[in-house]
Amino acid sequence: MSQIALRTGVQMAEPEFHEPTTEVRYKVVPDDQLPTERVTLVVDGPGFVEARIRRGHATEPLCEQLMCVSRHIFSNGLWVYHWAEAANAAGVHDTGTPAEVRFEIHPASAFPKDILCLFREQPGEFVWFVREGHLSEEACGEFNEYLKSSLRAGFWVQRWDEGEAERVTTPY
């Protein structure tokens, strides 16, 4: 296995998976693209997952950074998404996915300059840390509901190398 170095200086083993890469998009959208009672909507299909966020509940720069990190995660095979149709057809239910995946909002002082999000991952937990002022509490809660239900359904699969203790990265 080859090694990849992130800007944080952390060395990670580059997985050797050859499955299709899933594209994850985060978009700030106008009101008419979401149900009136929600501020987020996650739409998926073969090869993509799109998280739509109502204008005023997330910033464009945050969406760009979330996509950058997600691109790294999926292109390196660290996570795989089983689309609903594929998961149902394959009977995917128990995937060994971490028990807890969530977004958390933290004070700006907790982040390096110009960084709006980063993640920490370890066995049993994956956390998106988001700089306050860039994601509303309501959107954070709805994303957490989505993650909890989709993990329970077996749609997300974490790839974890034996011996890895933690992954931490920033969008750059």
Side-chain angles (χ1 to χ4, degrees):
M1 278 190 186
S2 62
Q3 296 287 314
I4 55 173
L6 305 175
R7 283 188 164 209
T8 60
V10 174
Q11 293 286 322
M12 294 173 52
E14 186 173 351
E16 296 174 6
F17 301 115
H18 303 288
E19 294 154 354
T21 299
T22 298
E23 179 183 351
V24 177
R25 294 172 251 172
Y26 293 84
K27 292 173 57 174
V28 174
V29 298
D31 291 348
D32 65 352
Q33 292 189 23
L34 296 167
T36 56
E37 69 280 359
R38 304 228 6 127
V39 299
T40 65
L41 177 65
V42 179
V43 179
D44 63 359
F48 81 94
V49 176
E50 183 174 272
R52 298 175 185 168
I53 310 161
R54 187 179 305 279
R55 189 175 290 126
H57 288 271
T59 64
E60 296 282 348
L62 172 64
C63 290
E64 291 171 18
Q65 288 189 18
L66 286 168
M67 286 189 298
C68 184
V69 173
S70 296
R71 192 173 306 119
H72 166 77
I73 290 168
F74 287 105
S75 67
N76 287 295
L78 305 178
W79 280 81
V80 176
Y81 183 71
H82 288 281
W83 306 281
E85 300 84 8
N88 289 337
V92 174
H93 296 291
D94 181 11
T95 61
T97 302
E100 190 169 353
V101 177
R102 68 187 181 279
F103 277 77
E104 292 181 359
I105 299 171
H106 289 273
S109 61
F111 293 82
K113 183 182 181 217
D114 300 325
I115 300 298
L116 306 180
C117 68
L118 49 88
F119 75 85
R120 183 189 70 223
E121 183 178 19
Q122 54 195 10
E125 182 180 60
F126 183 100
V127 184
W128 280 108
F129 298 110
V130 177
R131 182 188 289 242
E132 68 183 343
H134 291 273
L135 184 68
S136 73
E137 290 288 342
E138 193 173 359
C140 183
E142 287 185 15
F143 278 138
N144 288 341
E145 288 173 20
Y146 163 77
L147 290 167
K148 187 175 183 177
S149 65
S150 64
L151 285 167
R152 202 173 321 135
F155 298 150
W156 293 97
V157 178
Q158 179 189 39
R159 297 296 177 88
W160 199 260
D161 286 341
E162 189 174 322
E164 264 188 293
E166 182 177 62
R167 297 176 184 150
V168 179
T169 192
T170 64
Y172 304 104

